[in-house]
């Protein structure tokens, strides 16, 4: 059979793919356009003004909330990766019998309502406040618990895609220490999973409202709600900017994952050199 008569295995064509994507684009695009339209309208509803977007940079309360949320996202990602990555690697290499327990503990926050988390951690937070003070950045400890289920799934998928035991044994047989094996052998092979966990955690932290509101701290979402009671366009402009930032992060994640899959496919498709006499 000639190549032209062979059935296509490359998926839907361009117009079919566009037709499938159209409902999703409309579902997300129409609300975003409505938000952009509302944020640029004046009180009369006739003229246009960029004052709401200018307020994003001039409102001290909103600026402080943006900085606080970005710091919370960065600290949450750093602490989550420092706790979860070495633990999951060590469990898979040395104590595989504990994998189910770690999975249960990481997925447990999905089943607990935010109100119960805040009330349950109140006693612990008395000590946190004693050592770190009344800072909204102490929400980092709660947010690390909150992002555990999503980060665990992303890292677990990346670790399952490689033969980590063989890689670790090969590195150890060549004289590498355990820290060197983890940092220079295992981590580069699960880099896409680490980025996925980081981006998803940032998106969760930037969209979190309930726990910060119940705990009495002002992050970006809490301030957006407060501003919305007196200045609707500025509140919508801040919400729009937050959503766009989340979409950009997910887009970067998709492009990076596609690039990694393309490199892996190219390495797989490249035939190994044949040595004479073998």
């Amino acid at each position: 059979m000639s190549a032209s008569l062979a059935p296509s295995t490359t998926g839907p064509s361009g117009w079919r793919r566009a037709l499938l994507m159209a409902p999703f684009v409309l579902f997300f695009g129409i609300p975003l356009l409505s938000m952009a339209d509302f944020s640029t309208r004046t009180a009369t509803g006739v003229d246009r003004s960029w004052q709401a977007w200018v307020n994003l940079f001039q409102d001290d309360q909103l600026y402080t909330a943006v900085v606080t949320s970005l710091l919370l996202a960065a600290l949450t990602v750093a602490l989550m990766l420092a706790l979860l990555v070495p633990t999951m690697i060590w469990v898979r290499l040395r104590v595989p019998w504990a994998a189910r327990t770690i999975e249960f503990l990481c997925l447990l926050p999905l089943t607990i309502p935010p109100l119960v988390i805040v009330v349950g951690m109140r006693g612990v937070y008395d000590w946190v406040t004693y050592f770190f003070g009344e800072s909204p950045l102490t929400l980092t400890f709660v947010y690390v618990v909150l992002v555990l289920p999503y980060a665990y799934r992303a890292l677990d998928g990346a670790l399952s895609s490689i033969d980590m035991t063989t890689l670790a044994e090969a590195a150890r047989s060549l004289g590498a220490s355990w820290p060197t094996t983890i940092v220079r052998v295992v981590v580069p092979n699960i880099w896409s999973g680490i980025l996925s966990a980081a981006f998803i955690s940032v998106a969760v932290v930037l969209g979190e409202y309930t726990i910060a509101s119940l705990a009495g701290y002002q992050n970006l979402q809490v301030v957006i709600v407060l501003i919305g009671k007196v200045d609707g366009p500025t509140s919508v402009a801040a919400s729009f900017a937050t959503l766009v930032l989340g979409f950009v992060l997910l887009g970067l994640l998709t492009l990076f994952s596609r690039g990694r899959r393309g490199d892996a496919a190219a390495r797989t498709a490249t035939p190994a050199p044949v040595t004479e006499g073998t």
Side-chain angles (χ1 to χ4, degrees), residues 53-247:
W53 290 90
V54 174
N55 291 339
L56 297 183
F57 303 95
Q58 293 182 343
D59 190 312
D60 292 336
Q61 185 184 22
L62 188 58
Y63 175 78
T64 303
V66 169
V67 173
T68 300
S69 288
L70 292 178
L71 287 175
L72 279 172
L75 292 174
T76 300
V77 169
L79 186 57
M80 177 273 295
L81 292 177
L83 290 175
L84 205 54
V85 172
T87 301
M88 293 183 67
I89 292 174
W90 191 255
V91 166
R92 282 179 174 266
L93 290 177
R94 307 296 294 176
V95 284
W97 51 267
R100 292 293 183 187
T101 303
I102 297 298
E103 181 181 12
F104 172 77
L105 292 175
C106 289
L107 299 183
L108 189 60
L110 283 177
T111 65
I112 303 176
L115 177 61
V116 177
I117 293 178
V118 173
V119 174
M121 298 187 72
R122 179 165 298 173
V124 178
Y125 253 71
D126 290 338
W127 288 100
V128 173
T129 304
Y130 177 77
F131 285 108
F132 298 98
E134 288 279 356
S135 171
L137 297 182
T138 57
L139 286 173
T140 300
F141 301 106
V142 187
Y143 286 170
V144 168
V145 176
L146 198 66
V147 304
L148 274 182
Y150 314 102
Y152 174 83
R153 282 304 181 204
L155 293 173
D156 185 60
L159 289 172
S160 300
S161 65
I162 63 173
D163 188 356
M164 192 169 57
T165 303
T166 301
L167 289 174
E169 289 178 352
R172 293 284 294 167
S173 65
L174 293 174
S177 62
W178 277 115
T180 302
T181 300
I182 292 175
V183 174
R184 301 188 62 179
V185 177
V186 178
V187 168
N189 284 282
I190 61 171
W191 194 240
S192 61
I194 292 175
L195 282 181
S196 299
F199 286 157
I200 293 173
S201 299
V202 170
V204 170
V205 171
L206 292 182
E208 202 286 319
Y209 167 79
T210 307
I211 292 178
S213 178
L214 291 174
Y217 293 114
Q218 291 189 350
N219 66 353
L220 177 60
Q221 300 303 320
V222 173
V223 172
I224 286 176
V225 172
L226 293 176
I227 292 177
K229 296 178 180 178
V230 295
D231 188 352
T234 302
S235 173
V236 172
S239 302
F240 181 84
T242 305
L243 286 173
V244 170
L245 177 60
F247 287 145

